Amino acid sequence: MEMYLPFCGIAISNAQLFAASRKEYDRSRALLEVVNDLFEEQTDLEKIVKKIMHRAQTLLKCERCLVLLVEDIESPEVKFTKSFELMSPKCIADTENSSKGSLEKPSASYSDWLVNNSIAELVASTGLPVNNSDVYQDPRFDAEVDQMSGFHIRSVLCVPIWNNSHQIIGVAQVLNRLDGKPFDDADQRLFEAFVIFCGLGINNTIMYDQVKKSWAKQSVALDVLSYHATCSKAELDKFKTANIPLVSELGIDNIHFNDFSLDMDTMITAALRMFMELGIVQKFRIDYETLCRWLLTVRKNYRMVLYHNWRHAFNVCQLMFAMLTTAGFQEILTEIEILALIVGCLCHDLDHRGTNNAFQAKIGSALAQLYGTSATLEHHHFNHAVMILQSEGHNIFANLSSKDYGDLMQLLKKSILATDLTLYFEKRTEFFELVNKGDYNWNVTYQREVFRSMLMTACDLGAATKPWEISRQATELVTSEFFEQGDRERSELKLTPSAIFDRNRKDELPRLQLEWIDSICVPLYQALVKVNGKLKPMLDSVGANRKKWEELYQKRLHSQTTSNLAMSPESIK
C-alpha cells in the first residue's frame, strides 16, 4: 500500500495540475473571446455589455451578474442611470418556480436593491473592489429587501469599471457562486480582467453614439439652414408700422373661425392682435419690433408642406385664443401659462417635414438618430423654437426675470411635446377619470399640467370642430399629405402603407374619419365640455361632422352593395 500510494499521489497531482491548467486555458480563451466581441459589436451598448456579462457569468459560474453605469462621472455624488442584468438558467428556473407557488408578487425589486445599495455606491466612489463572502454580516447590506425580493444573496463581488481616461463610469457585480462557495482571489482577478474589457466596450459604444449624434445634429442643422432664413428688413418694416385690425374685425375670437379666411400677411397681424389682446405684450414687456421679427421668422421656418404648415400653426393658435377668451380660461391660467400656450401653438410644428414620427424611425433619419423614436418631431419643433429665440433680435422673452424665463421654457417644452398623440393617450385616461368624478382641482400642479396638455391636443385637432366645409377641406389636405408619405413608404422602403396613408384605399376615408372622431376627438371634447360648458359648440360641430362622414360612409356601402349585386350570377343571367 505504501509503495502504491505515491503513484496515486502523483496521479492526483497531475490531475489537479491538468485541471488548473485547463481552467487557466478556459479563462484565457474567454478573455480572448471578449476581445473578439469588442471588435464585432461597437454600436450597441446593451449588446456588448450583455455579451461580456454572459461570458463572465459562465466562467465564474454565478447566479447573477449586473452592470451599473454612473449617471454623471464628473459629479461627486454617485447616481446610477442605467443597469444591465443577467441571470443564470438555474436562477431563472428557481425564480419562476417561486413565483408560481406564491399568489403575490414580491413587494420589492432585487434590481432596485442592486441599483441603490451602498456597496455599489462605495465601489463607484472609492474605486476599490469589494469581495464579500457573507453579506448578512455587512452593515451596508439591506437584509429586509433581500428577504422580500425572493432572491437571497449570499456573497457579492463588486468591482469598478474605468474608462480610458481613468474615470469610473460604473460598477460590475456578480452574486452567489453556483457551488455555494464564496468568490476567491482568482475569481476577483478574472472578473477585474473582464471588467477592463467591459470598460473599453462601454467607452467605445458611448463614443460611437456621441459621434453618431454629432453627425445627426450637424445634418439637421445644415438641413434647417439650407431651407430657412430669418425675416428680411423689408418684411419687418412693413409690419411694425402696420395698422392691426381689432379682434371683431378679424373674427379670431370665434370658435368656428374659418381656417382659410385670412391670407399669409393678415395671419401675422392677427397673431400680433392676439398677443396684445391677451395682455402678455404689456405684462412681459415684449418689444414690439422683436415680436414682429419673431413672428415673421417663425412663419418662414415652416415648410411648404400640404397641411402641417404656417396656416395650420396659426389656426391652432387662433383656436387656443378663442378657447382662452370664450371659456374664461384666461382667468384660471396664469399669464406665464397663457404665454407658453400661445407661443407653443405657433411653434408646435416648426420645420415639419410632412411625415410622421414612425416614418422618421423607418428611414433612420438624422432626426430619429438625434432625438430617438419617442416624440421625435416634437422634440425637434421645440429645439427649433429655442434656436429662433436665441437668434439675434428674436428673444421675445428677453425682459423676463431668470425664474420666469426658466419656468416659461419648461412650460413651452411641455406644451409642444403635448401635441404628440402618444403622450396624449398616456395622459387622457387620468384626465377623463378626474373630470368624470368631479375631482378636477385647479390648485394641483400636475392636474393643471394635464389640462394644458389636453388644451394643446384639442387645438391641434381643432379642424374636427369647425363647420363641415372647413373641416372637410382641412381633412382633404392632411389626407393628401399622408398619401405623399405613403407613396414614399411604397417607393423608398418597399412597404405597403397602412390604410390612412394609402392613396389606393382613399375610398375608405369616411370609415377612417369615423374611427378617428369616435376614438380620439369625441372623448376629448366631451371631457372639456364637462370642465367648461361654454365649449359645447365645439362638441356639437364634431357631432355634426361625424353625421356627414356617416352619410358618406353609408353612401359608399350602398354603392358597393349595388355594384356587387350587378355582378352577381343572378343579375348577369
Side-chain angles (χ1 to χ4, degrees):
M1 194 68 173
E2 287 177 351
M3 292 175 64
Y4 175 70
L5 287 177
F7 292 102
C8 292
I10 292 170
I12 292 169
S13 296
N14 287 342
Q16 289 175 335
L17 182 61
F18 176 79
S21 300
R22 181 71 190 182
K23 189 175 183 180
E24 199 60 39
Y25 168 79
D26 289 342
R27 293 185 173 196
S28 300
R29 183 176 178 80
L31 291 175
L32 288 172
E33 288 171 344
V34 168
V35 174
N36 186 55
D37 291 339
L38 288 178
F39 284 103
E40 281 187 352
E41 184 61 65
Q42 298 189 56
T43 61
D44 191 307
L45 182 62
E46 184 171 358
K47 282 183 180 178
I48 185 64
V49 171
K50 287 200 170 182
K51 272 188 176 183
I52 295 171
M53 287 166 60
H54 177 72
R55 296 195 185 282
Q57 185 186 56
T58 302
L59 205 60
L60 291 172
K61 294 181 172 55
C62 60
E63 293 185 359
R64 294 200 179 199
C65 182
L66 187 104
V67 170
L68 303 172
L69 299 186
V70 174
E71 184 176 39
D72 182 5
I73 60 176
E74 302 295 340
S75 173
E77 183 183 0
V78 175
K79 285 185 180 179
F80 297 114
T81 181
K82 189 176 288 188
S83 64
F84 305 96
E85 184 185 353
L86 198 65
M87 290 193 293
S88 67
K90 176 184 178 299
C91 190
I92 293 171
D94 290 345
T95 303
E96 289 176 350
N97 292 334
S98 174
S99 62
K100 286 176 184 175
S102 173
L103 295 176
E104 296 183 1
K105 291 184 178 181
S107 57
S109 167
Y110 154 77
S111 295
D112 288 342
W113 174 82
L114 282 173
V115 170
N116 298 302
N117 78 86
S118 54
I119 293 177
E121 292 173 1
L122 177 69
V123 172
S125 59
T126 64
L128 300 174
V130 168
N131 188 350
N132 197 323
S133 58
D134 186 357
V135 291
Y136 273 79
Q137 301 302 316
D138 192 324
R140 298 165 297 191
F141 179 71
D142 191 339
E144 184 180 350
V145 174
D146 179 58
Q147 290 163 2
M148 293 167 68
S149 71
F151 173 76
H152 300 301
I153 303 169
R154 300 185 303 273
S155 55
V156 174
L157 173 57
C158 184
V159 299
I161 302 172
W162 305 84
N163 65 9
N164 60 343
S165 302
H166 205 66
Q167 295 171 301
I168 295 175
I169 58 174
V171 298
Q173 290 181 326
V174 285
L175 304 180
N176 298 0
R177 273 180 44 162
L178 292 173
D179 59 9
K181 296 178 181 178
F183 296 103
D184 55 29
D185 291 341
D187 292 329
Q188 182 173 327
R189 287 195 300 273
L190 178 64
F191 194 43
E192 286 175 336
F194 266 92
V195 166
I196 290 172
F197 293 110
C198 191
L200 288 171
I202 292 169
N203 191 67
N204 287 347
T205 51
I206 289 174
M207 287 179 64
Y208 177 84
D209 190 54
Q210 288 173 345
V211 169
K212 191 168 68 171
K213 284 193 174 181
S214 296
W215 172 85
K217 190 178 290 187
Q218 182 185 26
S219 177
V220 170
L222 288 173
D223 187 30
V224 167
L225 287 172
S226 66
Y227 191 88
H228 305 295
T230 57
C231 70
S232 66
K233 185 177 183 304
E235 286 177 308
L236 178 61
D237 292 341
K238 174 183 174 181
F239 282 97
K240 72 180 184 182
T241 58
N243 180 44
I244 308 300
L246 298 174
V247 169
S248 56
E249 296 176 61
L250 295 163
I252 52 176
D253 57 342
N254 185 357
I255 282 176
H256 291 147
F257 171 81
N258 184 345
D259 288 353
F260 303 97
S261 61
L262 304 183
D263 61 32
M264 296 295 283
D265 286 349
T266 311
M267 283 189 278
I268 294 290
T269 57
L272 288 166
R273 173 54 65 189
M274 286 189 274
F275 272 87
M276 291 187 286
E277 197 69 22
L278 290 169
I280 49 184
V281 174
Q282 302 88 332
K283 168 65 181 177
F284 298 108
R285 295 178 290 126
I286 299 175
D287 179 73
Y288 188 73
E289 181 177 326
T290 302
L291 180 60
C292 291
R293 183 184 294 109
W294 176 81
L295 275 169
L296 288 164
T297 298
V298 166
R299 181 179 73 176
K300 219 174 192 53
N301 279 260
Y302 274 90
R303 299 195 177 207
M304 300 299 288
V305 294
L306 289 170
Y307 182 75
H308 292 96
N309 48 36
W310 161 248
R311 181 174 295 280
H312 167 66
F314 172 80
N315 290 334
V316 172
C317 185
Q318 179 277 321
L319 188 54
M320 179 66 76
F321 174 80
M323 291 175 72
L324 290 171
T325 54
T326 302
F329 294 135
Q330 196 175 355
E331 284 73 45
I332 297 169
L333 297 170
T334 66
E335 289 158 323
I336 285 278
E337 288 175 312
I338 291 171
L339 178 57
L341 288 171
I342 292 295
V343 173
C345 287
L346 289 169
C347 297
H348 82 282
D349 272 334
L350 272 169
D351 194 47
H352 199 290
R353 315 304 178 79
T355 53
N356 63 9
N357 287 332
F359 183 80
Q360 299 298 323
K362 286 175 187 175
I363 64 172
S365 69
L367 287 176
Q369 292 182 46
L370 184 57
Y371 300 112
T373 56
S374 176
T376 303
L377 288 167
E378 288 73 22
H379 279 101
H380 177 57
H381 304 324
F382 170 71
N383 286 340
H384 201 92
V386 172
M387 183 185 75
I388 293 174
L389 286 167
Q390 291 176 342
S391 301
E392 187 177 354
H394 289 78
N395 190 3
I396 58 175
F397 307 145
N399 292 321
L400 272 69
S401 67
S402 58
K403 182 184 182 306
D404 284 347
Y405 187 88
D407 292 344
L408 177 62
M409 294 308 290
Q410 286 298 316
L411 290 169
L412 178 60
K413 184 173 185 177
K414 288 176 181 177
S415 297
I416 293 176
L417 293 182
T419 58
D420 177 18
L421 280 180
T422 304
L423 296 179
Y424 160 69
F425 279 114
E426 288 177 6
K427 293 186 176 181
R428 75 171 192 169
T429 303
E430 187 176 6
F431 178 68
F432 294 167
E433 288 176 355
L434 287 169
V435 170
N436 292 332
K437 291 177 183 176
D439 292 340
Y440 195 81
N441 188 343
W442 293 103
N443 296 318
V444 178
T445 302
Y446 177 70
Q447 291 187 19
R448 290 175 74 92
E449 179 185 328
V450 173
F451 175 71
R452 292 194 306 271
S453 296
M454 295 301 113
L455 279 184
M456 287 297 299
T457 303
C459 294
D460 195 20
L461 309 181
T465 69
K466 299 301 175 75
W468 169 246
E469 290 303 327
I470 300 168
S471 181
R472 180 164 184 174
Q473 188 176 347
T475 302
E476 288 172 351
L477 286 172
V478 73
T479 302
S480 297
E481 187 177 284
F482 285 171
F483 286 164
E484 289 191 356
Q485 175 179 316
D487 293 342
R488 290 187 61 185
E489 288 181 9
R490 185 175 276 109
S491 62
E492 296 176 22
L493 304 175
K494 310 303 179 189
L495 298 174
T496 301
S498 57
I500 198 169
F501 297 97
D502 192 346
R503 67 173 69 250
N504 297 331
R505 299 171 67 180
K506 61 184 178 183
D507 291 342
E508 297 181 37
L509 179 61
R511 176 183 64 80
L512 295 169
Q513 282 300 302
L514 287 172
E515 291 176 1
W516 169 264
I517 290 171
D518 290 343
S519 63
I520 296 178
C521 299
V522 170
L524 173 60
Y525 294 111
Q526 282 178 338
L528 288 173
V529 169
K530 288 178 182 177
V531 174
N532 193 310
K534 292 179 180 178
L535 299 179
K536 193 170 183 300
M538 298 176 73
L539 181 60
D540 292 341
S541 290
V542 173
N545 289 332
R546 190 198 183 285
K547 189 175 179 182
K548 289 285 189 180
W549 288 115
E550 178 69 34
E551 289 172 2
L552 290 174
Y553 177 61
Q554 293 299 333
K555 186 178 178 181
R556 180 173 179 271
L557 283 180
H558 177 72
S559 175
Q560 281 183 331
T561 304
T562 306
S563 176
N564 290 339
L565 286 172
M567 294 299 295
S568 66
E570 291 78 8
S571 63
I572 293 172
K573 192 173 180 180

